[in-house]
Every structure is written in C-alpha cells, then in structure tokens.
C-alpha cells in the first residue's frame, strides 16, 4: 500500500467488534524520510466514517527518533496514549509483528521487531465497539498477514 505523503486506513467493512485481538505482520517498504512521521500498525474500535479508533503503532518521528505503543486516533491523527521509545529507528524494510487486543475498557499493544524482543503497552479507553483495520501513514507499507479474533462471539 502506498501512503507516501498521506494517511491510509484500510477497514474491515460491516463488522463491529468490542472484545477483539488483531494480529498483524507488516513492514515499511519505503519511508518518506523527508517528512515524518511514518506510522504502521493495526487499529480497532474504529469508526470508518470519522477515521477514529485505538491503534498499536510503530511511529518514526524523525531520522533518529521513534516511538511505539498505543495511540488514540481522532480524525485520522494519532495521539500518544501509552508509548515508549523505539530503537532502532525504523528504516526501509523494517518488519514488525503487532498484537492489539481490547477487552472491556482495557487495550493492550505488543510490538515485536522481527528477530527482537516484544514491547507491551497497556491503557484504558472509552471507545465503543467498532471496526478493525490497518493504519498506515507516509510510507509504502507491506502487510504480510492479518488475523482477527473476536472474543465472546459464537
């Protein structure tokens, strides 16, 4: 998916989920290095009409700094919810496994660079049940796989 210079939110249409876990494996194919941020990760409890939700992102903020963790997304803009520094800073072809889970008001985000160790961030949210999808900003992204588990759904 090419989102150089723009935001791409790819939603799973017609599905409203509250308690859910989303697994994603994806990588930055080409960063727009001149105008960060560059962001990638799953989003849940989303509203496709307003581009709102909670996302688990790698967030390259400059050529030398990056964060990872949970972000609240309002009108397509990601704001820190529970984040920490990410090292090394993502470059072209940096690949990650993301696990984003929501149960009740608790959300959890686990990000693992391929060949590295997982970082887990937790927070609470008042966002209601909603759609799941992929949040991509300002890079050519590649998603290798996405799996969604709805908890408590027969």
């Amino acid at each position: 998916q090419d989102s150089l210079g723009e935001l791409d939110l790819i939603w799973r249409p017609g599905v409203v989920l509250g308690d859910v876990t989303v697994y994603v494996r994806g990588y930055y194919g080409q960063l727009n290095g001149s105008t960060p941020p560059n962001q990638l990760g799953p989003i849940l409890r989303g509203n496709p009409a307003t581009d709102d939700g909670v996302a688990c992102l790698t967030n390259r903020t400059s050529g030398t700094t990056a964060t990872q963790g949970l972000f609240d997304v309002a009108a397509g803009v990601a704001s820190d919810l529970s984040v920490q520094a990410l090292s090394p800073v993502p470059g072209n072809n940096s690949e990650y496994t993301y696990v984003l889970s929501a149960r009740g008001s608790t959300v959890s985000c686990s990000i693992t660079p391929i060949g590295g160790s997982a970082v887990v961030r937790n927070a609470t949210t008042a966002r209601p049940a909603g759609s799941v999808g992929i949040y991509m900003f300002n890079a050519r992204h590649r998603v290798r796989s996405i799996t969604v588990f709805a908890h408590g759904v027969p």
Side-chain angles (χ1 to χ4, degrees), residues 22 40-42 54-58 68-71 82-84 97-102 106-112 118-123:
V22 183
L40 173 64
V54 177
C56 175
L57 302 175
T58 48
Q68 62 188 336
L70 286 162
F71 293 80
S82 176
V83 301
Q84 73 179 57
T97 299
Y98 305 82
V99 180
L100 177 58
S101 184
T106 302
V107 288
S108 178
C109 166
S110 172
I111 298 174
T112 308
V119 170
V120 178
R121 303 299 297 174
N122 298 296

Side-chain angles (χ1 to χ4, degrees), residues 31-36 38 60 138:
L31 293 165
N32 183 345
S34 61
T35 57
N38 314 103
R60 181 180 172 274
N138 205 22

